[in-house]
């Protein structure tokens, strides 16, 4: 497996993309992205577990039903989440698929049905989509589709992200070169909007629907489901993975060696995109990796890591470059997991602070200087109970985060 | 039931208190409190559910064993949590009880055993207690004990609280006047310290240990367990209730009418103190009451209320006076409770925003003005599923909170 410099969703064979500005964002920035595969794809997806779901999720679920089989395109708008918009919202999402299919058929002579188009939205909640603008955007995006359009599309799905997020890998299986490439957007808002995590991934590998879904679940669990910015789960979170088989070669059968290698590459890609999201959290000054070891189960390890990652007291201490390990101990103690103070050990980078229930003397000034100098830091938490581990990525919590999210804009 | 103007822990008959400065806090502020009852008390207590617990909790648990029967005093220091301090910490907490018993016996000719003294600490985690200072403080506090000392004691348990918290009620049962009075401290830190919630309550009512514990559990569930500042559970949270029977009259038997009236008064007292804590959260500009109705169970209603109360996006919007109800809907949707978008209704004060899955048009400018003008606001969330309800109190999240908790001081 090898990273492709500057790679994105359009790195795998047969994928085209575009990102255009159609006026949904008042700022005039790009706000509509389109991804199209030249050949039909099998697709897999994961969606938010939030019980309040955006309209696009209803429509994606319909269009991903097995009997509808293939997917050809994804249309995404930013600047409006199309969530809590009632029945009209679902109709609007369906309309986006129809317009996209119609334009692709008209402009590109691709015979695409509306149910072969997936749709996603991100932005403000509770406001109806400006459908006239969306319609113009779709027409423009179809006209702009290109093999170089991946980064543009990554820009067009941004809300408060400070930079676009894209990456791609290549790997060889069965003597054939194949690629996995993706774009993502992070937890951000265009005030007063809801944070959303979106990711769209394409691959030219030959892999069936069931294996694809299994690989995606595994990868998402260890990447997007292991990052947090502020603990607020979005109503719109969506990850879609499309495979168009253009690399040729044998089919990657589930649980084969080739499958494990494909899954590993997919997981690495998702982790890279996920870490970009955490590092670009609103107002973040640091990417924080939280490694929990010695847990009774992976579930326990993840619960501890996420509780520490979402602790306001831990996050504000890190923003202040304060090696305040007591706050970490307190967060570990309230995690829904098996934890014992007597076996607990805590390390900030190389600074050991706590071991088996007793404080360890360390150079606090040096630890402060190390925190101050580091854009990426690791917290090690050993529960000293079992053999399971998990890693989670987050960012610090700054005054800028609060200022940003408190801004009045309605 | 009637509120006693300026009442505190020393309002009930027979309770003395003192608050002194013994140098644990670098600021020179009061940092040691002592509460003593002239007669032996039955006592009840609740402690943090955090698995990392302060040393004083181990010692309180020992001293509250039924066979040890009565309690006479509580000694509390602020400025140091005596938590994550290993075996030495537990010995130090025990030592505090011994010194207190000895000084009370010596100076006041009260025959008090060490196991009749309870102990609590709040402040920085992981730093050993400065026992020489604590010893001096205990000697001073015993000398200063008085029937007017309740407010002083409330000051001495403060960390980053901006004001002391005290209240008392009187009620008549069996033709006798009795009182319940308490002091509390809130989620605050002396940087770089851990937040802690402490509350000490006294009553002159005649009530047995079991009934007292039952009344306290009920009251704490609906007050201190229903407030949140930042979702970070402390390692030191402690509520102690002591009854010295000095009011006379019949014993308040569990589940009697008198018991229900006593429990109601206790709950009101705890709620008043709890709301003072939420309103005085670090950097808070607003007290926020979150009323969830229409839930399938009280457990569900509480889960939804707490999830909304701990949402950074909701809390920062409130700080910004932004009527951003979409963030509330999103928080409701991720609560571990039965929730359906189609039956959900949301109201900000008098402004209805969302009803049965459809957005409701409201005057956003007027809502912003109302938020701006209000120090106390109420969010109404109706789940539209069942008949259960719960209320939780919290505060907004300000830039000041982050600044305060990021301050580097080690």
């Amino acid at each position: 497996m090898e990273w492709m410099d500057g790679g994105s969703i359009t790195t795998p064979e047969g994928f085209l993309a575009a990102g255009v500005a159609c006026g949904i964002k008042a700022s005039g920035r790009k706000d509509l992205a389109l991804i199209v595969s030249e050949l039909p794809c099998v697709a897999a997806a994961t969606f938010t577990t939030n019980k309040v779901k955006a309209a696009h999720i209803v429509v994606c679920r319909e269009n991903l039903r097995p009997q509808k089989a293939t997917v050809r395109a994804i249309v995404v708008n930013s600047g409006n989440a199309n969530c809590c918009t009632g029945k009209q919202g679902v109709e609007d999402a369906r309309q986006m698929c129809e317009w996209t299919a119609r334009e692709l058929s008209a402009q590109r002579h691709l015979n695409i049905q509306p149910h072969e188009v997936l749709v996603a939205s991100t932005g403000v909640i509770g406001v109806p989509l400006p459908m006239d603008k969306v319609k113009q955007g779709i027409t423009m995006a179809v006209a702009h589709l290109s093999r170089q359009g991946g980064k543009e599309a990554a820009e067009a799905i941004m809300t408060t992200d400070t930079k676009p997020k894209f990456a791609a890998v290549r790997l060889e299986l069965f003597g054939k070169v194949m690629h996995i490439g993706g774009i993502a957007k992070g937890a951000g808002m265009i005030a007063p909007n809801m944070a959303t995590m979106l990711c769209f991934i394409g691959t030219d590998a030959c892999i069936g629907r069931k294996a694809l879904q299994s690989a995606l679940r595994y990868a998402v669990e260890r990447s997007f489901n292991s990052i947090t910015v502020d603990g607020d789960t979005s109503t719109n979170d969506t990850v879609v993975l499309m495979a168009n088989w253009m690399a040729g070669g044998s089919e990657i059968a589930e649980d084969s060696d080739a499958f494990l290698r494909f899954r590993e590459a997919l997981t690495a890609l998702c982790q890279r995109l996920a870490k970009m999201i955490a590092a670009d959290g609103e107002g973040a000054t640091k990417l924080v990796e939280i490694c929990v070891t010695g847990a009774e189960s992976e579930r326990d390890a993840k619960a501890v890591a996420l509780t520490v990652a979402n602790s306001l007291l831990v996050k504000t201490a890190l923003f202040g470059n304060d090696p305040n390990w007591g706050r970490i101990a307190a967060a570990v103690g309230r995690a829904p997991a098996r934890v014992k103070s007597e076996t607990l050990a805590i390390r900030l980078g190389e600074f050991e602070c706590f071991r088996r229930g007793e404080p360890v003397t360390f150079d606090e000034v040096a630890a402060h200087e190390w925190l101050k100098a580091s854009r990426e830091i690791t917290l090690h938490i050993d529960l000293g109970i079992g053999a399971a581990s998990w890693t989670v990525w987050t960012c610090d919590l700054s005054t800028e985060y609060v200022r940003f999210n408190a801004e009045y804009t309605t």
Side-chain angles (χ1 to χ4, degrees), chain A residues 225-233 288 290 302-316 318 327 331 334 379 392-397 401:
Chain A
N225 284 352
S226 292
I227 55 170
T228 177
V229 169
D230 49 21
D232 266 282
T233 318
V288 184
I290 302 176
K302 190 175 178 186
V304 169
L306 279 174
T307 304
V308 173
N310 282 324
S311 161
L312 265 62
L313 293 175
V314 172
K315 290 163 88 84
T316 49
L318 293 173
R327 293 184 183 178
R334 71 179 164 87
L379 311 183
V392 156
W393 296 274
T394 188
C395 56
D396 56 341
L397 177 66
Y401 174 94

Side-chain angles (χ1 to χ4, degrees), chain A residues 81-141:
Chain A
N82 193 14
C83 178
C84 292
T85 43
K87 283 171 195 146
Q88 185 62 46
V90 176
E91 280 170 33
D92 289 347
R94 242 178 237 130
Q95 183 71 69
M96 285 173 74
C97 298
E98 277 180 37
W99 285 338
T100 302
R102 191 193 302 163
E103 280 299 316
L104 283 169
S105 303
Q107 287 189 46
R108 297 251 157 192
H109 311 295
L110 295 167
N111 179 23
I112 293 183
Q113 300 302 310
H115 67 74
E116 293 178 297
V117 181
L118 300 181
V119 56
S121 298
T122 174
V124 58
I125 290 185
V127 176
L129 272 176
M131 290 304 285
D132 49 339
K133 292 175 182 171
V134 170
K135 190 175 185 182
Q136 285 175 12
I138 290 171
T139 306
M140 272 195 290

Side-chain angles (χ1 to χ4, degrees), chain A residues 138-194:
Chain A
I138 290 171
T139 306
M140 272 195 290
V142 171
H144 279 83
L145 279 173
S146 86
R147 287 281 296 143
Q148 286 72 47
K151 289 179 210 175
E152 249 178 49
E155 283 166 31
I157 62 173
M158 287 164 64
T159 50
T160 53
D161 303 62
T162 65
K163 47 188 102 161
K165 292 155 189 74
F166 47 85
V169 296
R170 72 190 283 286
L171 68 164
E172 266 184 64
L173 293 177
F174 314 119
K176 301 275 182 189
V177 172
M178 49 199 73
H179 309 84
I180 317 175
I183 60 173
K185 73 157 296 257
M189 357 249 293
I190 37 171
N193 306 358
M194 183 58 216

Side-chain angles (χ1 to χ4, degrees), chain A residues 231-246:
Chain A
D232 266 282
T233 318
S234 156
T235 51
N236 287 46
D237 291 347
T238 297
V239 181
V240 173
L241 168 56
M242 297 163 72
N244 68 8
W245 293 52
M246 284 179 80

Side-chain angles (χ1 to χ4, degrees), chain A residues 1-15 147 166-173 176-183 199-207 211-212 215-216 219 224 239-245 247 252 258-273:
Chain A
M1 184 196 110
E2 210 179 300
W3 292 102
M4 305 284 289
D5 217 28
S8 78
I9 180 85
T10 47
T11 301
E13 285 302 312
F15 282 92
R147 287 281 296 143
F166 47 85
V169 296
R170 72 190 283 286
L171 68 164
E172 266 184 64
L173 293 177
K176 301 275 182 189
V177 172
M178 49 199 73
H179 309 84
I180 317 175
I183 60 173
C199 179
F200 308 105
I201 310 170
T203 180
D204 42 25
C206 304
I207 179 166
L212 203 66
L216 185 65
F224 303 113
V239 181
V240 173
L241 168 56
M242 297 163 72
N244 68 8
W245 293 52
I252 299 170
F259 174 79
L260 296 180
R261 287 184 53 210
F262 175 84
R263 192 177 73 174
E264 186 192 359
L266 178 67
T267 304
L269 179 80
C270 289
Q271 284 180 340
R272 179 171 279 209
L273 290 167

